[in-house]
Each structure stands twice: as C-alpha cells, then as structure tokens.
C-alpha cells in the first residue's frame, strides 16, 4: 500500500499532540501564554482536518493509522485540561467562524468539539433525588401562586360575557394550563437529566421565580380586603343613586374579592331585589347571614322575600324570631345606636306578625304587632320629639288580622264578635292611612287592601285612642 501523505504531516501531528498536552497539563497560564496555546491548538486541529481528508482515501499504512488513532485518544483523554487551558469560548468562536468542515467534506469532526467531550461527574443518586424534590416543590409553589394570582385577576375581571372579559378569562385559563404543562415537562426532564449544572441552574432560576410569585401573592392577599371594601362602598353609593346595574357590578366584584364580606352580600341582595332578580337576592341574603349572624336587616329582607315570593310563612317566622333573638343577645361590640336598634326591631316584629298571620295564628300576630307599635312609639327624635317610625305598616297589617278574625267569627255564626273585629279593622286601617306619609312604605297589596276597606266604609266608627 502506497503512503500518499506529506512526509512529516502524520509524525508532526502525533508529536504535536503529546507536546501540546504536556504544555497544558497542570500549568498556571497567563493571558499571553493562553493566546499562544490557542494558536498552537488551532494549527493542530487544522492539521487533523488535513489528515481526515487523507484518511478518506484509505491509503495510509497501518503504522500511520495506529499513530493517528493513538494521538486522537490522547486528545479525547485530555479534553478537559485542553478546554480549561484554551477556554471553552475558543471552540464556540471557531465554530461560528466556519472553521469546522461541512458534513459533506468531513462527517465527523470531533476534534473541533473537544469541549463537548468534557464530562462532568454525574451526581450521586441521593443528590439527584434531592434536586428533583426541590424542583417539584418549587414548581408546586409556582403553580399554586400563579393559580391564586390568576384567580384573583379573574374575580377582578368578573364573569362578564362581553368580548374583552371572555378574551381575558380565556388568556388566564391558558396561562394556568401552560404553567401546569411546563411543570409536567420539567418534572419529566428532572427525572431523566444527567447534568448537574442544568439541575442547579434550574433550581436557582425556579427559586427566584417562586420567591417573586410568593411576594406578589402576599401583597395581593394583604390588599384584597381593602380593594373589596372600596368596591363595596362604591356599590352602596351607586345603589343609593338608583344606579342598580353598576351597583351590582361593583358589589359582585367586592364579594368575589372578599367572599366573607357579609355587608357587601346584603347590599348586593338589596340591589338584586330592586331589579326584581329575586333568586339572586335570596342567595345573597343567605350568604350575608352565613358570614355574619348579626346582619339583622338580612333576617328581615329574607323573611319578607320568602313571604312575598313563596308564602313560606314557617321559614319566615323562624328567620324573624332568630333575628329578634340575635338582636336581643347582641354584644357590646355589635351594639347599634338607639334609632337603628328601634327600626330593625320594629321591622322584625312586623314581619314576624306577617308570618303568624299567614299561619292563621291571629292572636300571636296581633301581640307581635302591638309590640312593634310600642317600639315605634318609643323611637323619637331627641331634638324634635317627633316619632322616627310611623308604624303605618303595623297598623295596616293589624287591620288585616282583624279582618281575618272577623271572617272566622262569621263562619262560626258569631255576628257580635265579627262586627267588633270589623270595627277594629276599620280603625286600624284609618290609623294606617293617617300615619302613611308615603305609600311606597307599604306593600302594594296591603296598601290596596287599606284603600278598598276604607272606600266601602259607610260611617266612621268610634275608635278607642
């Protein structure tokens, strides 16, 4: 076999490899020495390219091939010290400069990739497991934190059906879904990766991200009640201005941001009631009582709603009595001012009487109304001495109680008692009309009954003062 290589090319390569390795091993190099060694290595690798072209011809003597193979093994064996000597950036720069031959010329140019031959000792099984557990914990923190942030953002945006709301909600859902997918991917990579550097890099990066998200969660958690209170107050102002649509939006945002805000639930229930959305109103009144048993007005509004909508007198009676008991047992921290206390007690007594009337417990209903009227007479403006509560509703309801009793006595053929109750009914309705400064204070059916009874009155009865 004829040897076609230049005379000294192979021997120079073999000897140069040994000399270069000797220059690099165990030496402390300054910048100038490193630069010289980089040039020497570059010449060496270019020489190896020329040898590669010769090897493709397959016309080298066996001794020459053995020499090249031995030099190649030395390069691979000392790859770590060579890379450390000239710097890993050198290989990247050479690659970017186009020095590595194309695959058509030389399919395997491993000598230009000595930096990839450097193997870091694999971490032990215990370290791998610990790193994996740390990564899983960090990803769980990230996923939970991001889910919380997205949930708060979703509540803030609301559940609107307009295009912007739908788009934002879809984006938030994709964000959480993408995080979970990324978590699964990282989990798989964490179980299969063999490079400690990548693991450590990921742990450090994930630690920073997890810490940042936790900080955001803490800030949002602290600010959440204040944000909810702002929208709750805004909703109350909008409701008082009869802007019920905007009030509902604000109050819903308040209850979404702080579901335990009983007052916001109550005000939202009132706003729903004003728009005749009685199902949602009932749900909000129940939520108010769920979070605060001292929401006395919620007892009244819910009991009244149950009577008007479903004639559920038994449940209304239970709610009214529970509200009265809670009012009587209120602690000093929950105490109301005297006028507010009188108003809510009056209303609860009236709605209790209304429920008793529906259950045909007329005497108990009359007793409850008498107590309500007595409470109303006690409530006076300290400056003017004028009554704070007209008690018109109590008198009208009392007239209805006497009417029902009169019908019962007529059915029993007791005309005397029926006439007596009829007179008492007219007197109660007359007092109701006298005290009713604003017809909107009365339920329409009750106001209509008063007008009907007084219109059919033939003579003015003698009423007791």
């Amino acid at each position: 076999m004829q040897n076609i290589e230049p005379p000294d090319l192979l021997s120079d390569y073999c000897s140069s490899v040994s000399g270069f390795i000797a220059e690099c091993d165990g030496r402390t190099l300054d910048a100038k020495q490193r630069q010289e060694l980089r040039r020497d290595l570059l010449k060496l690798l270019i020489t190896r390219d020329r040898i590669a072209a010769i090897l493709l011809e397959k016309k080298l003597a066996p001794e020459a091939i053995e020499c090249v193979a031995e030099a190649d093994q030395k390069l691979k064996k000392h790859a770590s010290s060579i890379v450390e000597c000239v710097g890993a950036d050198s290989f990247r720069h050479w690659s970017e400069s186009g020095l590595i031959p194309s695959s058509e010329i030389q399919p395997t140019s491993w000598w230009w990739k000595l930096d990839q031959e450097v193997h870091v000792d694999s971490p032990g099984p215990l370290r791998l497991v610990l790193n994996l557990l740390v990564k899983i914990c960090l990803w769980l923190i990230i996923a939970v934190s991001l889910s919380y942030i997205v949930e708060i953002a979703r509540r803030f945006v609301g559940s609107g059906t307009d295009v912007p709301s739908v788009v934002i909600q879809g984006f938030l859902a994709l964000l959480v879904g993408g995080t979970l997918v990324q978590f699964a991917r990282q989990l798989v990579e964490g179980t299969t990766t063999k490079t400690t550097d990548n693991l450590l890099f990921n742990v450090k990066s994930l630690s920073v991200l997890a810490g940042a998200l936790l900080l955001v969660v803490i800030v949002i958690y602290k600010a959440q009640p204040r944000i909810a209170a702002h929208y709750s107050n805004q909703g109350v102002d909008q409701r008082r201005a009869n802007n019920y649509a905007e009030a509902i939006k604000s109050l819903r945002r308040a209850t979404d941001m702080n579901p335990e805000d009983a007052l916001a639930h109550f005000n939202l229930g009132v706003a729903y009631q004003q728009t005749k959305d009685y199902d949602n109103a009932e749900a909000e009144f129940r939520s108010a009582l769920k979070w605060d048993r001292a929401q006395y007005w919620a007892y009244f509004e819910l009991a009244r709603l149950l009577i008007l909508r479903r004639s559920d007198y038994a449940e209304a009676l239970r709610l009214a009595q529970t509200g009265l008991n809670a009012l009587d047992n209120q602690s000093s921290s929950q105490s109301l001012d005297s006028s507010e206390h009188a108003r809510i007690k009056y209303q609860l007594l009236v709605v209790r009487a209304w429920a008793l009337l529906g259950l045909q417990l007329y005497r108990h209903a009359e007793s409850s109304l008498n107590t309500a009227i007595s409470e109303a007479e006690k409530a006076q403006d300290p400056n003017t001495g004028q009554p704070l509560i007209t008690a018109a509703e109590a008198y009208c309801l009392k007239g209805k109680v006497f009417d029902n009793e009169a019908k019962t006595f007529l059915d029993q053929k007791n005309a005397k008692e029926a006439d007596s109750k009829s007179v008492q009914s007219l007197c109660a309705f007359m007092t109701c009309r006298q005290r009713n400064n604003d017809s909107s204070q009365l339920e329409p059916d009750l106001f209509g009954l008063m007008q009907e009874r007084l219109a059919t009155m033939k003579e003015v009865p003698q009423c007791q003062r």
Side-chain angles (χ1 to χ4, degrees), residues 12-82:
D12 284 351
Y13 170 70
C14 296
S15 60
S16 296
V17 168
S18 299
F20 185 83
I21 292 171
E23 288 288 326
C24 281
D25 265 348
R27 289 186 57 192
T28 302
L29 304 172
D30 56 28
K32 185 177 180 180
Q33 289 172 325
R34 284 184 183 277
Q35 187 175 5
E36 291 176 354
L37 285 173
R38 274 196 292 270
R39 290 172 182 169
D40 291 342
L41 180 62
L42 183 57
K43 293 177 183 178
L44 184 63
L45 298 180
I46 291 173
T47 300
R48 185 62 180 82
D49 277 345
R50 295 171 64 189
I51 293 173
I54 295 171
L55 287 172
L56 288 176
E57 299 294 330
K58 298 181 181 179
K59 293 182 179 180
L60 285 178
E63 296 81 3
I65 295 174
E66 282 293 330
C67 177
V68 173
E70 186 178 345
D72 287 349
Q73 290 301 316
K74 287 181 181 179
L75 277 180
K76 291 181 180 180
K77 182 178 179 181
H78 295 86
S80 179
S81 60
I82 293 173

Side-chain angles (χ1 to χ4, degrees), residues 76-81 83 113-123 194-197:
K76 291 181 180 180
K77 182 178 179 181
H78 295 86
S80 179
S81 60
V83 171
K113 304 172 186 177
L114 281 178
D115 55 325
Q116 298 180 14
E117 295 290 328
V118 179
H119 296 286
V120 179
D121 292 337
S122 298
K194 300 298 182 182
T195 54
T196 305
D197 289 341

Side-chain angles (χ1 to χ4, degrees), residues 8 50 60 87-88 104 119 127 141 146 171 185 204 213:
D8 297 323
R50 295 171 64 189
L60 285 178
E104 296 177 357
H119 296 286
R127 188 179 178 188
I141 292 172
L146 190 56
F171 171 76
R185 186 182 68 81
K204 291 177 182 177
L213 287 175

Side-chain angles (χ1 to χ4, degrees), residues 410-421:
L410 280 177
D411 291 340
Q412 296 172 354
K413 310 297 184 183
N414 190 339
K416 182 179 179 179
E417 287 294 333
D419 289 341
S420 175
K421 290 297 179 181

Side-chain angles (χ1 to χ4, degrees), residues 250-309:
S250 297
L251 290 166
R252 280 186 63 185
R253 183 168 286 177
T255 55
D256 283 342
M257 294 292 287
N258 185 12
E260 298 181 18
D261 190 342
L263 185 58
H265 281 292
F266 170 75
N267 285 313
L268 181 55
V270 173
Y272 276 130
Q273 194 168 234
Q274 293 293 334
T275 59
K276 303 187 185 305
D277 187 350
Y278 298 119
D279 288 334
N280 276 322
E282 181 178 333
E284 293 302 325
F285 290 142
R286 291 190 184 278
S287 293
L289 293 175
K290 171 187 175 182
W291 295 114
D292 183 8
R293 292 295 178 181
Q295 279 292 323
Y296 310 113
W297 284 107
Y299 288 109
F300 163 72
E301 293 291 354
L302 183 55
R304 174 178 167 277
L305 204 56
L306 290 173
I307 290 173
L308 291 174
R309 290 193 67 214

Side-chain angles (χ1 to χ4, degrees), residues 21 35 53 102 109 184 216 241 289 325 343 348 367 386 424 444:
I21 292 171
Q35 187 175 5
S102 66
S109 304
V216 173
L289 293 175
N325 293 339
R343 290 178 190 278
L348 286 171
S367 175
Q386 295 297 317
Q424 288 179 296

